[in-house]
Amino acid sequence: MDMKTLIIAEKPSVGKEIARVLGAEKKNKSYIEGEDIIVTWALGHLLGLKMPEDYRSEWATWNMESLPLIPEEMQIKPLKNTAAQLKIIKQLSQRKDVNKAVIATDAGREGELVARWILDYVKFKKPVQRLWISSQTDQAIRNGFKQLYPSKKYDDLYDAAVARSEADWLVGLNVTRALTVKYQDSLSAGRVQTPTLAMVRKQEARIEDFVAETYFSINLTIEGQTATLSEGAPERIKDQVEAEKIVSNLNKQAVEVKEVKENSQTQLPPLPYDLTELQREANQRYQFSAKKTLSVMQTLYERHKIVSYPRTDSKYLTLDMKETLKDRLQAVRGFATEEVKSIIKKGAQVTQTALFDDTKVTDHHGIIPTEERAHLEKMDQDELRIYRMIVERFIGLFLPAYKVAKTTYLLATTDATFKLKQELVLENGWRKTEPIKVKKRFKQGEQLGNLIFQAKKELTKAPGRLTESTLLQAMEKHSLGTPATRAEIIEKLISSQLMERHATKLSVSPKGKQLLTLVNSALVTPDLTSQWEKSLEQIAAGKLKKEVFLEQIKIETKKLVKEIKMSEQSYKDYSLTTKTCPECGELLKERSGREGKMLICSKITCSYRRFKEPKVSNKRCVQCHRKMEIHEGKSGKFFKCKYCNVSEKMDNTKNKKITKHETKRLMQKVNKEAQEEVESPLALALKAAMDKQEK
């Protein structure tokens, strides 16, 4: 019997590519088989931590008496929607011709968790190896399978992943349940999302406290150049009469060039992007959300295979990558043909000498193009935008430094000194800057004429709201989340109706503002998460035992729940409307859903819900030919025209054939959802639990 290796990828798209590269051709619905390999795949997470009711039936009821919920030993269970795929993997793992497995999930903490939980659940006792690659090109896959590592090398990384998952369960689930029960509304909190929300609120508070003030500044204009006040008169003068008096006095005084300071600055090309910087810049340039940028990156990485692994927190490359740079340049030649041609001719030498540093590359190196040439005709506009950003940053690594000469003049009168700055670009290098016009220069000791002193009326500016770009920067600074999870955290705050997005600006909802006053103070600051991340890094490095960390988390959980129980804070549900439930008489509250705004009964035991506004159908009114609304009555759903009040019964018995247009639109939606990041099992479980509470 020929023995085979079972290879487990994270997604079908990756699994199919691995199978193609390794020559496996016998396709089944859930796996692909070759002469000596079987390639199968997860669908993101196939397993998650058990929920409270799985441990004890009495924990299914949300009440304060049962809190905190701390199982003696945390266990995993299959996720309902993907149970069939897990069953297939179990059957494959038990085949007599399978003698070992290879973990080929994403090379990172969560990817490790996806595969290890599967292998634990199916009780796989045969040897296991790890594929660890940073790009999905054919060459990278082949090289990776030539250099597989023993899975034992990543045991500490797995422990860190389990510790993170269990800690989030203990704190997130207990605090969320305590808040929801105490204040009778769905209030979601956690050690990452709550301090993230607090940072947005802190900026809002600064804006609310801001009071605009008018002031006058004194400027000097000479030869079309503006010099600002350096010393002498106050920088900000509140009284207009006083400002005009200073200007009148200055007009009577001679001006001399007191000092000339010259220096030159050299800026080396920037390092490659890490994920957070790429998300920030895409938000600034194109108003992309962090989630959208990550989704586009995943497509470029998995489908097009033209960029390296996106979920990285490093901007550096390893020394052994030097020999691959020439091939990568050839792959992006079409974006800057002459420039790349010149770089290759000169030996493809990088000018950013700090680029290669093995000590600063953690799981993955900085984001750069692969050796695969991009097929632009197969890419949409968003993919081209992100890829072009990565290519431009990569080509810049080989270009000369940006050099600029800076001159500062101190222009003195009897009573004041003004500062005038000039810049002259000596070498554009890697920067694509517009040429600066040469301005009139001055000599030390020179007496100046043709001067205009001016009192300029100004208004102090309010601080700006946080954008996703500035929030990502703040999250990175305070170690809130990882490059892979920050986008999901922002989206969760918005979907939980704690935060709102207006174009690129972020704000906290009335519900979010209240949550920050109700939740524990330890969860409002980023200190707790910062401590967690340091501990998780220590676990991954083998310097801290997972069990020691989790014991501390259990102590913290008990403390947090006790604080909520003892709290005397009050809560007002701003989502309550004046409309009453037709079934129980309680007030209805408004909720935003995927299909529009809903009205839901505020009584937890009542399941009544309806759309706030009737849905508009494609059914046309027989009289006015406008689209009719869908209403629901005692006899079921029916069409109604709001313009001429015509009603028509809805016929649900016909099996209407789906059109080509509808098929195409449906497939686009399915493909888009398949590309997006899968939420964590805990997040999905919490969402389901919260929905249950609202019904």
Side-chain angles (χ1 to χ4, degrees), residues 221-283:
T221 304
I222 175 170
E223 299 288 343
Q225 302 173 66
T226 301
T228 56
L229 191 66
S230 176
E231 57 184 63
E235 280 188 46
R236 292 186 175 185
I237 304 161
K238 292 188 178 181
D239 184 61
Q240 185 174 0
V241 175
E242 183 188 348
E244 288 173 351
K245 187 179 177 182
I246 292 170
V247 168
S248 178
N249 190 41
L250 287 169
N251 278 323
K252 299 171 187 174
Q253 299 176 20
V255 177
E256 180 186 341
V257 180
K258 182 181 176 183
E259 191 177 340
V260 180
K261 295 179 183 176
E262 292 185 342
N263 62 53
S264 60
Q265 287 186 357
T266 300
Q267 293 179 14
L268 288 171
L271 292 163
Y273 290 109
D274 60 11
L275 178 58
T276 301
E277 189 190 0
L278 183 62
Q279 287 171 319
R280 287 186 58 218
E281 200 164 307
N283 181 254

Side-chain angles (χ1 to χ4, degrees), residues 220-223 250-251 253-256 411-413 442 447-454:
L220 165 60
T221 304
I222 175 170
E223 299 288 343
L250 287 169
N251 278 323
Q253 299 176 20
V255 177
E256 180 186 341
L411 312 177
T413 69
F442 308 100
Q447 297 290 320
L448 302 177
N450 298 322
L451 309 172
I452 301 171
F453 289 99
Q454 188 178 25

Side-chain angles (χ1 to χ4, degrees), residues 446-603:
E446 184 179 348
Q447 297 290 320
L448 302 177
N450 298 322
L451 309 172
I452 301 171
F453 289 99
Q454 188 178 25
K456 188 179 178 184
K457 185 179 179 179
E458 311 217 34
L459 193 69
T460 53
K461 290 182 180 179
R465 288 189 183 275
L466 290 186
T467 62
E468 282 201 43
S469 174
T470 50
L471 181 57
L472 285 166
Q473 185 179 29
M475 291 174 77
E476 184 177 44
K477 180 183 176 183
H478 294 287
S479 301
L480 291 174
T482 65
T485 61
R486 286 178 191 132
E488 186 183 318
I489 292 158
I490 293 170
E491 293 301 324
K492 186 180 178 185
L493 285 168
I494 292 168
S495 65
S496 302
Q497 297 178 328
L498 299 173
M499 194 164 75
E500 295 167 351
R501 182 193 281 127
H502 308 279
T504 61
K505 307 289 184 183
L506 299 170
S507 63
V508 179
S509 69
K511 182 177 178 178
K513 289 174 187 175
Q514 282 198 96
L515 175 70
L516 292 171
T517 65
L518 303 174
V519 78
N520 314 74
S521 57
L523 290 175
V524 175
T525 67
D527 299 342
L528 181 65
T529 283
S530 184
Q531 292 165 14
W532 276 34
E533 286 303 328
K534 286 174 186 173
S535 296
L536 292 172
E537 285 173 14
Q538 286 182 308
I539 295 170
K543 296 176 182 176
L544 177 67
K545 290 290 182 186
K546 173 187 71 174
E547 292 73 19
V548 174
F549 169 73
L550 287 171
E551 277 306 311
Q552 286 299 315
I553 295 299
K554 288 173 184 176
I555 293 168
E556 188 70 32
T557 299
K558 291 173 184 176
K559 180 185 170 187
L560 293 170
V561 170
K562 186 178 179 181
E563 284 176 2
I564 295 169
K565 284 182 177 181
M566 302 285 288
S567 174
E568 295 180 0
Q569 294 272 15
S570 59
Y571 175 74
K572 180 182 177 183
D573 189 350
Y574 284 93
S575 67
L576 280 175
T577 68
T578 55
K579 295 174 182 172
T580 55
C581 174
E583 293 182 7
C584 69
E586 292 292 326
L587 290 175
L588 296 174
K589 55 184 177 180
E590 190 177 299
R591 282 280 181 269
S592 293
R594 285 186 178 181
E595 295 183 348
K597 291 186 176 179
M598 303 283 297
L599 291 176
I600 301 167
C601 184
S602 56
K603 190 176 179 180

Side-chain angles (χ1 to χ4, degrees), residues 366-378:
I367 300 169
I368 58 173
T370 65
E371 300 92 334
E372 294 277 323
R373 186 177 66 82
H375 295 281
L376 306 185
E377 70 281 0
K378 295 181 180 179

